[in-house]
């Protein structure tokens, strides 16, 4: 079992926000609903914002190896929570756009972190860190954006 899958399983079993979010009844079909105030999604927003602030603080320069290893572990946990959010929205049958975006962010997170690790020059590192910061910011913005009625 890969570390990512083990982490996802552990989060699912240990994070009460996942169970609480999954237990909520679906909203009325005609009412756009924001999930930003639900505990799981609020946790995703808080983690993403904190990790983005770390990346911004590095100012395009790689941090020490131990700091980056801890950061990588946190991004894996965040990606697992994004996937949980996707699965919960899928189960509810609501918010197709957010559901798909969360899945994409979950899948892209490890790729962006790996791009930072693989960057061979300071310029490549700066670009990779910038793209990672953008993804983390996107994670915040898609959850906190006001819902729109179905077109």
């Amino acid at each position: 079992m890969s570390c990512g899958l083990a982490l996802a399983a552990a989060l699912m079993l240990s994070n009460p926000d996942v169970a609480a979010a999954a237990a909520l009844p679906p909203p009325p079909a005609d009412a756009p609903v924001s999930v930003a105030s639900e505990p799981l999604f609020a946790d995703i927003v808080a983690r993403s914002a904190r990790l983005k602030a770390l990346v911004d603080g590095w100012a395009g320069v790689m941090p020490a190896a131990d700091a980056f290893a801890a950061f990588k572990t946190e991004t894996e946990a965040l990606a697992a929570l994004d996937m949980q959010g996707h699965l919960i929205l899928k189960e509810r049958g609501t918010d197709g756009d957010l559901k798909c975006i969360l899945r994409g962010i979950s899948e892209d997170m490890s790729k962006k972190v790996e791009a930072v690790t693989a960057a061979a020059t300071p310029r490549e590192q700066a670009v990779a860190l910038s793209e990672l910061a953008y993804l983390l910011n996107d994670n915040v913005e898609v959850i906190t954006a006001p819902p729109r009625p179905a077109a």
Side-chain angles (χ1 to χ4, degrees), residues 27 57 101 138:
I101 293 168
D138 195 33

Side-chain angles (χ1 to χ4, degrees), residues 90-101:
K90 181 178 178 183
E91 183 177 306
R92 289 182 191 171
T94 61
D95 203 336
D97 289 343
L98 180 57
K99 173 185 67 182
C100 294
I101 293 168

Side-chain angles (χ1 to χ4, degrees), residues 14-69:
S14 66
N15 188 336
D17 294 339
V18 173
L24 291 174
D30 60 344
V33 175
S34 173
V35 296
S37 62
E38 293 180 24
L40 174 67
F41 297 98
D43 186 27
I44 291 170
V45 168
R47 287 177 188 232
S48 295
R50 187 177 55 74
L51 292 174
K52 182 187 180 300
L54 280 175
V55 173
D56 289 344
W58 294 333
V61 179
M62 283 292 290
D66 58 338
F68 193 75

